Amino acid sequence: MRCDHCTHDVPDGVFCTRCGAHQGTTEEIGDAKKREHRYAAHPGEHVAQPSVFTTLFPHLGHHKIHEFRWAFFVGIAGVLVLWLAGLITAAILVSAFLVPVLYLIYLYEAQVYRDEPAIVLGFTIGGGIVVGIVVTVLERLVYNPIQYMPNPLAGAGINVGGLFLVGLLFPVIQEVLKPLPAFFLPNRADFPETVDGLVFGVAAGLGFSLAETLIGFSSTLTSLPPHVPPGNWIYDLTTIAIFQPLLQGSATGMILAAIWRQRLGRLGGREIGGVAMAVIAHIAFSGGSQLLKDSSVNQLFVLVWQAVVVGSLLIYIRYLLHHALLEEAAHMGFAETVCPSCHMHIYASGFCPNCGMALTAAPSAVKRSRSSRKEASGTAPRKN
Ligand SMILES: [Zn+2]
Ligand SMILES: [Zn+2]
């Protein structure tokens, strides 16, 4: 079969294994080459679907994604039970650790770090924690911690100076500093693909988020009696458990993905837009939340606002990664492998001819088995 889009001769399939273009002509809408109805890391979804797990955990197949979703919901249910029981200190701790721990399990599960777990985890999650400790301590020296961290007992009234720090200056500083450790990852040449940059960034952002939350709530954690009336804590707990880590992880993930693209010599408007989007989203998240809290509207609106910001950030990440995968996966050489998404035995280069998954987003074990077969068949190994 000859692909209409890249004009290579490729095995028969719904998708071109070289360029990922959709080969169907009926019922499909939009550009077959960009195929935005089939997200390259998870072809079952549209690119513009604000899904948390398929975006930030890109190496997982359907089944594993499902397990992680369940683990997350069990964790959230646990937080809810602790809140109802009035065990706020325990609920804060579970909330702070939930997403970072899930991500650590994911990195292990997908073997994203390949043979270098210590270095990669140290420079991503570890680096994020160190930056988080330093930045949060300095921020608290500059700004009154009682007002800075969410506190249901804080009074109303808009504080312009505080809003400037919390809503503008701190987010920009954080977005500059969070990616630094992963930027200096010594063996980063082993991880050339944009999807690696994204995952490292998310890990660093989650490390930061963990340190930020624990330090921000340190006085609450040490002073609050173990058992108190549940009160309004559920709003802050939702932010700590879900939106804060997702915001911090996604923003740094996007920035490092853009840096990885720049290293591949593919820095374009989409990547610069991604960095801008990460910074703007962080400002909108922190500034907007602070403003809404100061004007003492129903706290539910704060959560809705945070969800909207995080959702838009996730969609932009998918847009960036989708196009990166389509561009970068084009020249992998042919090999027999099993598609991690549709589980078909396939003979493929960059994309599964059956479901269109970009095979650069496959877990390490799949890629490894693939390269050994490729060498056995005498084809040159892939150059990075
Ligand atoms: Zn093609
Ligand atoms: Zn497939």
Side-chain angles (χ1 to χ4, degrees):
M1 183 183 84
R2 195 178 179 84
C3 172
D4 295 336
H5 304 278
C6 64
T7 68
H8 282 104
D9 284 317
V10 290
D12 281 346
V14 184
F15 293 86
C16 169
T17 189
R18 289 292 296 271
C19 72
H22 193 278
Q23 303 295 303
T25 47
T26 50
E27 80 180 298
E28 301 290 355
I29 13 156
D31 188 334
K33 188 157 171 55
K34 290 189 182 136
R35 40 166 280 201
E36 282 176 350
H37 57 297
R38 298 266 183 218
Y39 179 45
H42 280 270
E45 296 178 350
H46 194 281
V47 173
Q49 181 177 327
S51 160
V52 173
F53 285 89
T54 52
T55 308
L56 301 182
F57 298 62
H59 295 90
L60 296 179
H62 285 302
H63 187 64
K64 284 287 171 198
I65 284 276
H66 214 59
E67 287 176 13
F68 276 82
R69 269 198 197 113
W70 269 106
F72 176 71
F73 286 126
V74 168
I76 294 294
V79 171
L80 203 62
V81 168
L82 291 170
W83 170 66
L84 287 171
L87 302 169
I88 303 303
T89 314
I92 292 176
L93 288 174
V94 173
S95 305
F97 279 97
L98 179 59
V99 179
V101 166
L102 280 180
Y103 214 70
L104 198 59
I105 299 171
Y106 157 68
L107 294 174
Y108 174 78
E109 185 75 46
Q111 302 274 307
V112 179
Y113 43 67
R114 279 157 235 174
D115 305 318
E116 300 281 4
I119 294 180
V120 171
L121 295 181
F123 274 80
T124 56
I125 292 194
I129 291 175
V130 172
V131 173
I133 293 170
V134 173
V135 169
T136 311
V137 167
L138 290 177
E139 283 175 356
R140 281 162 64 88
L141 289 177
V142 175
Y143 190 61
N144 182 347
I146 306 295
Q147 285 173 309
Y148 168 40
M149 287 315 286
N151 182 340
L153 304 172
I158 292 171
N159 170 348
V160 177
L163 188 62
F164 170 75
L165 288 177
V166 174
L168 187 64
L169 194 63
F170 291 171
V172 173
I173 292 174
Q174 291 179 11
E175 289 316 322
V176 171
L177 295 179
K178 279 189 295 169
L180 280 187
F183 184 82
F184 291 109
L185 185 71
N187 58 339
R188 60 166 189 260
D190 298 343
F191 306 94
E193 279 126 18
T194 301
V195 64
D196 297 322
L198 170 69
V199 168
F200 293 168
V202 175
L206 290 177
F208 184 96
S209 173
L210 176 63
E212 183 187 35
T213 302
L214 290 182
I215 295 176
F217 281 90
S218 54
S219 49
T220 312
L221 288 170
T222 47
S223 66
L224 209 64
H227 194 272
V228 294
N232 277 339
W233 274 102
I234 192 63
Y235 299 109
D236 283 339
L237 286 171
T238 310
T239 300
I240 303 170
I242 305 175
F243 298 122
Q244 184 75 15
L246 292 185
L247 183 271
Q248 294 286 18
S250 311
T252 309
M254 179 115 84
I255 290 176
L256 273 180
I259 291 174
W260 250 245
R261 291 284 287 164
Q262 185 265 330
R263 287 193 174 134
L264 293 170
R266 293 185 182 270
L267 187 72
R270 202 181 286 129
E271 287 71 28
I272 294 167
V275 174
M277 175 73 186
V279 176
I280 292 168
H282 197 154
I283 291 171
F285 184 96
S286 303
S289 303
Q290 186 73 16
L291 202 59
L292 288 170
K293 278 179 189 171
D294 284 354
S295 50
S296 50
V297 293
N298 188 324
Q299 289 219 50
L300 202 56
F301 287 111
V302 181
L303 295 185
V304 171
W305 172 247
Q306 293 178 343
V308 168
V309 173
V310 168
S312 335
L313 196 53
L314 290 175
I315 291 176
Y316 200 107
I317 290 179
R318 292 164 74 90
Y319 163 75
L320 183 74
L321 185 65
H322 178 72
H323 289 280
L325 288 171
L326 287 182
E327 283 179 30
E328 290 164 28
H331 316 290
M332 282 176 76
F334 282 94
E336 274 180 53
T337 183
V338 176
C339 171
S341 180
C342 65
H343 305 291
M344 298 265 288
H345 282 269
I346 49 174
Y347 180 64
S349 169
F351 296 85
C352 171
N354 181 51
C355 71
M357 179 182 180
L359 297 170
T360 28
S364 265
V366 175
K367 287 195 231 179
R368 238 189 278 253
S369 69
R370 169 195 175 93
S371 56
S372 63
R373 271 179 227 160
K374 191 164 56 186
E375 277 152 32
S377 69
T379 320
R382 184 169 175 231
K383 287 197 191 85
N384 288 326

